[in-house]
Amino acid sequence: MTKPINNSRIIYEGRSRLDGSPIVVVLTGLTKASKNAKTSAMLQTFIIRADMHPREALDAGADISICGACVHRPRWNEELQKIIRSCYVRLDAVGSVYKAYTRGRYAHVEVNELASLGEGRAVRLGSYGDPMAVPVYVWQALVSRAEKHTGYTHQWQTATDKQRDDYQPLCMASADDTATRDAAQAMGWRTFRVSAANDTE
């Protein structure tokens, strides 16, 4: 029997809310503080395809299941005549999460256990992947007793009124220029503008 990793749990395994494909959400950082001074001891959540390695998903365009309309997904650059990807997340870490998942190293938890996992902690919604790929009740339960949480979404432009009501308390809209920032704020979103300085507005 494979020994489970105490540091992590599967908090959702089901269909993506973006396209219906199988995804899994793995919560990490439960028993050890992060060495990353920026995130401190923040709990991390990785949203990945459940049926293929993250690199395979990226190459096939199947990462749309977890990243949706994010402009930082791989895309063809006409000027450079090649595919570019501007996402800052390194796939080696995400790949390690996927490999551990496929080896059965993560225990599952029920929704009613999520509040205790997040209690008193800082939680990152979507360390990889867009939080709106995941049913809102998962995040609501996880952060219900958390000290603080962060989350960013590129799906704000296509969100329904119900989705905006659900996710605006949980996530900021990722905006890549001042025009999209202003548009998001007009819809009631708090915004995070991606720039050279990664400034928050």
Side-chain angles (χ1 to χ4, degrees):
M1 183 176 179
T2 304
K3 185 177 180 181
I5 299 174
N6 291 331
N7 188 46
S8 308
R9 298 289 187 278
I10 294 172
I11 63 171
Y12 175 74
E13 196 170 22
R15 298 292 174 182
S16 167
R17 291 310 191 253
L18 300 180
D19 72 352
S21 298
I23 64 170
V24 61
V25 183
V26 177
L27 174 73
T28 69
L30 288 170
T31 59
K32 61 182 180 181
S34 169
K35 295 179 181 179
N36 186 328
K38 189 173 183 179
T39 60
S40 184
M42 180 174 279
L43 297 177
Q44 306 293 322
T45 56
F46 292 85
I47 308 164
I48 57 177
R49 286 283 299 239
D51 57 345
M52 64 181 74
H53 189 280
R55 170 55 66 185
E56 181 185 352
L58 207 70
D59 291 343
D63 61 320
I64 196 168
S65 306
I66 53 111
C67 294
C70 182
V71 299
H72 301 291
R73 291 177 59 227
R75 63 193 185 281
W76 178 256
N77 183 290
E78 193 65 38
E79 182 179 342
L80 299 176
Q81 288 292 296
K82 67 177 183 178
I83 293 175
I84 61 170
R85 173 179 179 260
S86 52
C87 179
Y88 66 89
V89 179
R90 293 180 55 181
L91 281 185
D92 52 354
V94 186
S96 295
V97 171
Y98 177 77
K99 289 177 181 177
Y101 165 68
T102 58
R103 293 197 301 267
R105 299 296 306 280
Y106 301 132
H108 289 75
V109 294
E110 301 298 326
V111 173
N112 60 9
E113 301 175 76
L114 294 180
S116 62
L117 292 180
E119 185 169 9
R121 302 292 298 271
V123 183
R124 172 70 185 270
L125 311 185
S127 308
Y128 180 70
D130 193 293
M132 285 184 67
V134 181
V136 70
Y137 68 81
V138 175
W139 302 132
Q140 289 170 335
L142 182 61
V143 306
S144 60
R145 301 206 299 261
E147 180 182 347
K148 62 181 180 179
H149 67 271
T150 61
Y152 309 99
T153 181
H154 270 94
Q155 313 314 307
W156 60 269
Q157 297 181 75
T158 57
T160 64
D161 290 343
K162 176 66 166 61
Q163 288 171 326
R164 284 197 294 270
D165 289 343
D166 286 344
Y167 289 91
Q168 280 183 349
L170 296 165
C171 300
M172 300 176 76
S174 288
D176 295 277
D177 52 46
T178 55
T180 53
R181 177 202 63 192
D182 293 346
Q185 289 178 355
M187 294 181 185
W189 291 92
R190 295 169 298 128
T191 57
F192 178 86
R193 185 163 65 85
V194 180
S195 73
N198 283 336
D199 56 319
T200 303
E201 300 188 15

